[in-house]
Amino acid sequence: VKALLSFDTQKVTEPIISAVVLEKKVPLNILRAQINEYGGYVLVEIPNQQSETVLKALRDLGIGVQVKKLIEILRDRCVDCGHCITLCPVHAISYKSDLTVEVEEQDCIQCGRCADACPVTAISILR
Amino acid sequence: MKAAYLRGAAFAKYGTTMYVGLGIPIPILNERLAKKTGVSDAQIKSHVLDYGVPSRNRPVLKETNYEELRSGKIVLGDREIQVTPLSSFKHARKIAETLKKWIEDGRFLITQPVERLSTSRRFKPLDVKEHVGK
């Protein structure tokens, strides 16, 4: 399960993720982390079996937890050029056999390189 | 004519441009034309240019062809690099199929030329690229 965690400005300095990892003894994979003036965002991958307990523990510590769609290709805009394919660091985007560009959402880490580069602004990163 | 075949686009760090989808029928009038139009992807050569050099005449890093480019990967030096076209193959195919259907249905007819291309006027050619290290 991938979850988008949001930290407010007070919480960004606390070792909350490490605390949950140690307490629940669950390995978390941090895919992306970003801190700005409004707080912090961390995209984590949690093993499916333990996802409920981990997400609850994070919520209890005051962390915003969202499990939702990460990326979307807007079909009415996309021209299937494939410019995004070469830029994806995790190879989540590819051509289907009919040359339609498709994204494997499970692999996306929301780096946003595809969305920045898309010549027709057809990729939406859902944060 | 469809708005879907004329689309505005913007490439990061390059600028604005347009996707123009145009289907051009080529009447195969003789053997020479058949031979010229029947080239394979492997016979269409292209160059890999170094865009790190801010000049119109950018150095050529490698000669490649469309077969290699369409495979999705090319080898440059000792690295394998992912490649995709900037245009849309899917749309190109769709346009070609649409035009083919029009021709087969007798809805697209060829007329006498409205105007012939000039044989005397000269166009300013682009610079000839040379392979680095030659």
Side-chain angles (χ1 to χ4, degrees):
Chain A
V1 173
K2 274 186 194 169
L4 194 60
L5 312 179
S6 49
F7 296 70
D8 61 31
T9 43
Q10 278 90 48
K11 295 232 162 61
V12 289
T13 52
E14 297 175 26
I16 291 173
I17 294 177
S18 310
V20 171
V21 167
L22 291 172
E23 190 200 320
K24 303 291 175 193
K25 300 201 168 21
V26 176
L28 296 186
N29 192 11
I30 295 175
L31 301 169
R32 198 173 52 80
Q34 189 189 346
I35 298 173
N36 60 28
E37 64 271 39
Y38 307 112
Y41 294 91
V42 179
L43 184 67
V44 290
E45 197 170 22
I46 310 161
N48 283 337
Q49 295 91 338
Q50 291 111 320
S51 66
E52 298 265 314
T53 48
V54 169
L55 293 177
K56 187 173 181 307
L58 287 163
R59 279 200 189 96
D60 290 345
L61 289 165
I63 303 306
V65 175
Q66 289 177 286
V67 180
K68 59 172 189 178
K69 205 168 181 188
L70 302 176
I71 183 170
E72 190 178 17
I73 295 182
L74 309 172
R75 292 306 342 166
D76 57 333
R77 288 195 186 180
C78 179
V79 293
D80 300 291
C81 67
H83 195 43
C84 47
I85 294 173
T86 53
L87 298 168
C88 180
V90 290
H91 307 292
I93 315 176
S94 61
Y95 286 119
K96 284 203 287 190
S97 57
D98 69 346
L99 296 171
T100 303
V101 171
E102 75 174 343
V103 58
E104 193 59 60
E105 208 202 321
Q106 288 178 348
D107 297 332
C108 175
I109 57 166
Q110 287 199 323
C111 69
R113 294 186 72 202
C114 54
D116 291 344
C118 179
V120 290
T121 57
I123 299 179
S124 187
I125 303 288
L126 309 167
R127 280 182 190 154
Chain B
M1 295 272 272
K2 269 191 196 165
Y5 296 137
L6 195 65
R7 294 278 304 272
F11 285 98
K13 294 181 188 172
Y14 173 81
T16 50
T17 181
M18 255 181 145
Y19 278 119
V20 182
L22 199 63
I24 301 173
I26 304 171
I28 307 300
L29 303 172
N30 53 43
E31 278 180 21
R32 200 170 57 90
L33 256 173
K35 197 180 170 194
K36 283 215 163 189
T37 49
V39 292
S40 68
D41 280 347
Q43 287 170 284
I44 307 172
K45 305 274 183 246
S46 188
H47 289 129
V48 179
L49 303 184
D50 185 356
Y51 265 65
V53 177
S55 150
R56 192 159 72 95
N57 204 7
R58 295 187 167 93
V60 174
L61 300 175
K62 183 195 161 105
E63 189 183 282
T64 179
N65 61 61
Y66 272 56
E67 189 178 50
E68 190 183 16
L69 289 169
R70 290 216 56 209
S71 75
K73 280 177 197 140
I74 63 164
V75 177
L76 195 61
D78 54 359
R79 287 174 64 188
E80 206 172 56
I81 295 167
Q82 274 200 298
V83 287
T84 48
L86 290 177
S87 57
S88 171
F89 252 94
K90 192 188 170 190
H91 278 238
R93 286 263 169 83
K94 205 164 119 191
I95 290 166
E97 286 299 323
T98 304
L99 184 58
K100 187 181 166 191
K101 184 143 199 338
W102 285 357
I103 293 168
E104 283 172 351
D105 293 351
R107 286 193 286 150
F108 187 97
L109 302 169
I110 292 172
T111 63
Q112 285 294 314
V114 177
E115 194 175 343
R116 291 195 173 273
L117 293 173
S118 169
T119 51
S120 60
R121 200 178 297 163
R122 290 195 61 142
F123 293 95
K124 197 178 168 187
L126 290 172
D127 302 307
V128 176
K129 309 284 180 193
E130 277 184 33
H131 204 290
V132 168
K134 250 186 197 170

Short mmCIF file of all heavy atoms in Angstrom, two decimals, chain B residues 62-93:
data_model
loop_
_atom_site.label_atom_id
_atom_site.label_comp_id
_atom_site.label_asym_id
_atom_site.label_seq_id
_atom_site.Cartn_x
_atom_site.Cartn_y
_atom_site.Cartn_z
N LYS B 62 26.27 10.45 -32.36
CA LYS B 62 26.09 9.11 -32.88
C LYS B 62 25.12 9.14 -34.06
O LYS B 62 24.21 9.97 -34.09
CB LYS B 62 25.49 8.23 -31.77
CG LYS B 62 25.30 6.77 -32.12
CD LYS B 62 24.37 6.10 -31.10
CE LYS B 62 23.81 4.81 -31.67
NZ LYS B 62 24.35 3.61 -31.17
N GLU B 63 25.37 8.24 -35.00
CA GLU B 63 24.39 8.08 -36.07
C GLU B 63 23.51 6.88 -35.70
O GLU B 63 24.01 5.87 -35.23
CB GLU B 63 25.08 7.83 -37.41
CG GLU B 63 24.07 7.87 -38.56
CD GLU B 63 24.68 7.55 -39.91
OE1 GLU B 63 25.32 8.44 -40.49
OE2 GLU B 63 24.51 6.41 -40.38
N THR B 64 22.23 7.05 -35.88
CA THR B 64 21.33 5.96 -35.56
C THR B 64 20.29 5.85 -36.67
O THR B 64 20.39 6.53 -37.68
CB THR B 64 20.69 6.19 -34.17
OG1 THR B 64 19.79 5.12 -33.88
CG2 THR B 64 19.90 7.48 -34.11
N ASN B 65 19.32 4.97 -36.51
CA ASN B 65 18.26 4.87 -37.50
C ASN B 65 16.93 4.64 -36.79
O ASN B 65 16.89 4.39 -35.58
CB ASN B 65 18.56 3.73 -38.48
CG ASN B 65 18.64 2.40 -37.78
OD1 ASN B 65 17.67 1.94 -37.17
ND2 ASN B 65 19.79 1.77 -37.82
N TYR B 66 15.85 4.74 -37.54
CA TYR B 66 14.52 4.68 -36.93
C TYR B 66 14.19 3.31 -36.34
O TYR B 66 13.39 3.22 -35.42
CB TYR B 66 13.46 5.13 -37.94
CG TYR B 66 13.26 6.62 -37.90
CD1 TYR B 66 14.34 7.49 -38.10
CD2 TYR B 66 12.02 7.18 -37.62
CE1 TYR B 66 14.18 8.86 -38.02
CE2 TYR B 66 11.86 8.55 -37.55
CZ TYR B 66 12.94 9.39 -37.75
OH TYR B 66 12.77 10.74 -37.66
N GLU B 67 14.81 2.27 -36.86
CA GLU B 67 14.55 0.95 -36.30
C GLU B 67 15.05 0.90 -34.85
O GLU B 67 14.36 0.44 -33.95
CB GLU B 67 15.23 -0.13 -37.13
CG GLU B 67 14.83 -1.54 -36.74
CD GLU B 67 15.48 -2.59 -37.60
OE1 GLU B 67 16.73 -2.55 -37.77
OE2 GLU B 67 14.76 -3.46 -38.12
N GLU B 68 16.28 1.40 -34.67
CA GLU B 68 16.87 1.42 -33.34
C GLU B 68 16.07 2.36 -32.43
O GLU B 68 15.76 2.01 -31.29
CB GLU B 68 18.34 1.87 -33.42
CG GLU B 68 19.09 1.69 -32.12
CD GLU B 68 20.52 2.20 -32.16
OE1 GLU B 68 20.87 2.97 -33.08
OE2 GLU B 68 21.30 1.83 -31.26
N LEU B 69 15.71 3.52 -32.94
CA LEU B 69 14.98 4.49 -32.14
C LEU B 69 13.61 3.95 -31.73
O LEU B 69 13.17 4.14 -30.60
CB LEU B 69 14.80 5.80 -32.91
CG LEU B 69 16.07 6.64 -33.10
CD1 LEU B 69 15.83 7.75 -34.12
CD2 LEU B 69 16.55 7.22 -31.78
N ARG B 70 12.96 3.24 -32.64
CA ARG B 70 11.63 2.74 -32.33
C ARG B 70 11.66 1.56 -31.37
O ARG B 70 10.63 1.19 -30.80
CB ARG B 70 10.88 2.37 -33.61
CG ARG B 70 10.49 3.59 -34.43
CD ARG B 70 9.16 3.41 -35.09
NE ARG B 70 8.12 3.08 -34.13
CZ ARG B 70 7.05 2.37 -34.43
NH1 ARG B 70 6.89 1.90 -35.63
NH2 ARG B 70 6.14 2.13 -33.52
N SER B 71 12.83 0.96 -31.16
CA SER B 71 12.93 -0.14 -30.20
C SER B 71 12.76 0.38 -28.77
O SER B 71 12.54 -0.38 -27.84
CB SER B 71 14.28 -0.84 -30.34
OG SER B 71 15.31 -0.04 -29.78
N GLY B 72 12.89 1.71 -28.61
CA GLY B 72 12.71 2.29 -27.28
C GLY B 72 14.01 2.51 -26.52
O GLY B 72 14.02 3.11 -25.46
N LYS B 73 15.12 1.98 -27.08
CA LYS B 73 16.42 2.13 -26.40
C LYS B 73 17.52 2.30 -27.42
O LYS B 73 17.51 1.65 -28.47
CB LYS B 73 16.75 0.87 -25.60
CG LYS B 73 16.05 0.80 -24.27
CD LYS B 73 16.39 -0.51 -23.57
CE LYS B 73 15.41 -0.79 -22.45
NZ LYS B 73 15.03 -2.18 -22.38
N ILE B 74 18.47 3.18 -27.12
CA ILE B 74 19.67 3.23 -27.95
C ILE B 74 20.89 3.16 -27.03
O ILE B 74 20.80 3.48 -25.85
CB ILE B 74 19.75 4.50 -28.85
CG1 ILE B 74 19.84 5.78 -28.01
CG2 ILE B 74 18.57 4.59 -29.79
CD1 ILE B 74 20.29 6.97 -28.82
N VAL B 75 21.98 2.72 -27.59
CA VAL B 75 23.21 2.64 -26.80
C VAL B 75 24.08 3.83 -27.18
O VAL B 75 24.37 4.06 -28.35
CB VAL B 75 23.96 1.31 -27.05
CG1 VAL B 75 25.27 1.29 -26.28
CG2 VAL B 75 23.09 0.14 -26.65
N LEU B 76 24.46 4.60 -26.18
CA LEU B 76 25.31 5.75 -26.41
C LEU B 76 26.52 5.60 -25.48
O LEU B 76 26.37 5.62 -24.27
CB LEU B 76 24.53 7.04 -26.10
CG LEU B 76 25.11 8.36 -26.59
CD1 LEU B 76 25.23 8.37 -28.11
CD2 LEU B 76 24.24 9.52 -26.15
N GLY B 77 27.70 5.44 -26.08
CA GLY B 77 28.87 5.14 -25.26
C GLY B 77 28.67 3.78 -24.63
O GLY B 77 28.40 2.80 -25.32
N ASP B 78 28.73 3.71 -23.30
CA ASP B 78 28.49 2.42 -22.65
C ASP B 78 27.15 2.43 -21.90
O ASP B 78 26.90 1.57 -21.06
CB ASP B 78 29.65 2.09 -21.69
CG ASP B 78 29.91 3.20 -20.70
OD1 ASP B 78 29.20 4.23 -20.77
OD2 ASP B 78 30.82 3.05 -19.87
N ARG B 79 26.30 3.40 -22.24
CA ARG B 79 25.01 3.48 -21.53
C ARG B 79 23.84 3.22 -22.48
O ARG B 79 23.87 3.62 -23.63
CB ARG B 79 24.84 4.87 -20.91
CG ARG B 79 25.71 5.08 -19.70
CD ARG B 79 25.60 6.50 -19.22
NE ARG B 79 24.25 6.82 -18.76
CZ ARG B 79 23.86 8.06 -18.44
NH1 ARG B 79 24.68 9.07 -18.57
NH2 ARG B 79 22.64 8.27 -18.01
N GLU B 80 22.84 2.55 -21.92
CA GLU B 80 21.62 2.33 -22.66
C GLU B 80 20.65 3.45 -22.28
O GLU B 80 20.44 3.71 -21.10
CB GLU B 80 21.03 0.98 -22.27
CG GLU B 80 20.18 0.37 -23.34
CD GLU B 80 19.76 -1.05 -23.00
OE1 GLU B 80 19.16 -1.23 -21.93
OE2 GLU B 80 20.02 -1.95 -23.80
N ILE B 81 20.10 4.12 -23.29
CA ILE B 81 19.25 5.27 -23.02
C ILE B 81 17.87 5.04 -23.62
O ILE B 81 17.74 4.61 -24.75
CB ILE B 81 19.89 6.56 -23.58
CG1 ILE B 81 21.20 6.85 -22.83
CG2 ILE B 81 18.95 7.74 -23.48
CD1 ILE B 81 22.06 7.87 -23.48
N GLN B 82 16.85 5.35 -22.82
CA GLN B 82 15.47 5.21 -23.30
C GLN B 82 15.14 6.33 -24.27
O GLN B 82 15.50 7.48 -24.03
CB GLN B 82 14.52 5.29 -22.13
CG GLN B 82 14.30 3.96 -21.43
CD GLN B 82 13.02 3.98 -20.63
OE1 GLN B 82 12.90 4.76 -19.72
NE2 GLN B 82 12.08 3.12 -20.98
N VAL B 83 14.48 5.98 -25.35
CA VAL B 83 14.10 7.00 -26.32
C VAL B 83 12.64 6.81 -26.75
O VAL B 83 12.13 5.70 -26.81
CB VAL B 83 14.99 6.96 -27.59
CG1 VAL B 83 16.37 7.49 -27.32
CG2 VAL B 83 15.07 5.57 -28.19
N THR B 84 12.00 7.94 -27.02
CA THR B 84 10.65 7.90 -27.58
C THR B 84 10.55 9.05 -28.58
O THR B 84 11.30 10.01 -28.48
CB THR B 84 9.55 8.11 -26.51
OG1 THR B 84 9.91 9.23 -25.71
CG2 THR B 84 9.36 6.90 -25.65
N PRO B 85 9.63 8.94 -29.53
CA PRO B 85 9.50 10.06 -30.48
C PRO B 85 8.85 11.26 -29.82
O PRO B 85 8.16 11.12 -28.81
CB PRO B 85 8.58 9.48 -31.57
CG PRO B 85 7.86 8.36 -30.94
CD PRO B 85 8.73 7.84 -29.85
N LEU B 86 9.09 12.46 -30.37
CA LEU B 86 8.40 13.64 -29.86
C LEU B 86 7.02 13.76 -30.51
O LEU B 86 6.14 14.42 -30.00
CB LEU B 86 9.21 14.90 -30.16
CG LEU B 86 10.50 15.05 -29.36
CD1 LEU B 86 11.24 16.29 -29.79
CD2 LEU B 86 10.20 15.12 -27.88
N SER B 87 6.86 13.10 -31.64
CA SER B 87 5.56 13.10 -32.28
C SER B 87 4.81 11.86 -31.81
O SER B 87 5.31 11.08 -31.03
CB SER B 87 5.73 13.07 -33.79
OG SER B 87 6.47 11.94 -34.16
N SER B 88 3.59 11.70 -32.29
CA SER B 88 2.78 10.59 -31.83
C SER B 88 2.59 9.55 -32.92
O SER B 88 1.95 9.81 -33.93
CB SER B 88 1.42 11.11 -31.37
OG SER B 88 0.55 10.03 -31.12
N PHE B 89 3.19 8.39 -32.72
CA PHE B 89 3.04 7.30 -33.69
C PHE B 89 1.59 6.84 -33.77
O PHE B 89 1.10 6.46 -34.83
CB PHE B 89 3.93 6.12 -33.31
CG PHE B 89 5.09 5.98 -34.24
CD1 PHE B 89 6.31 6.55 -33.94
CD2 PHE B 89 4.96 5.29 -35.44
CE1 PHE B 89 7.37 6.45 -34.81
CE2 PHE B 89 6.01 5.18 -36.31
CZ PHE B 89 7.23 5.77 -35.99
N LYS B 90 0.94 6.86 -32.63
CA LYS B 90 -0.45 6.39 -32.60
C LYS B 90 -1.32 7.28 -33.49
O LYS B 90 -2.11 6.77 -34.29
CB LYS B 90 -0.96 6.42 -31.16
CG LYS B 90 -2.26 5.69 -31.00
CD LYS B 90 -2.84 5.89 -29.64
CE LYS B 90 -4.25 5.36 -29.59
NZ LYS B 90 -4.92 5.75 -28.36
N HIS B 91 -1.14 8.59 -33.36
CA HIS B 91 -1.92 9.51 -34.17
C HIS B 91 -1.54 9.41 -35.65
O HIS B 91 -2.41 9.50 -36.52
CB HIS B 91 -1.77 10.95 -33.66
CG HIS B 91 -2.66 11.24 -32.50
ND1 HIS B 91 -3.59 12.24 -32.50
CD2 HIS B 91 -2.78 10.62 -31.32
CE1 HIS B 91 -4.25 12.23 -31.36
NE2 HIS B 91 -3.77 11.27 -30.61
N ALA B 92 -0.24 9.24 -35.91
CA ALA B 92 0.23 9.13 -37.30
C ALA B 92 -0.43 7.93 -37.98
O ALA B 92 -0.91 8.01 -39.12
CB ALA B 92 1.75 9.00 -37.33
N ARG B 93 -0.47 6.81 -37.26
CA ARG B 93 -1.11 5.59 -37.79
C ARG B 93 -2.59 5.82 -38.05
O ARG B 93 -3.13 5.39 -39.07
CB ARG B 93 -0.95 4.45 -36.76
CG ARG B 93 0.45 3.90 -36.70
CD ARG B 93 0.55 2.64 -37.56
NE ARG B 93 1.93 2.25 -37.72
CZ ARG B 93 2.61 1.54 -36.84
NH1 ARG B 93 2.02 1.14 -35.75
NH2 ARG B 93 3.86 1.23 -37.07
#
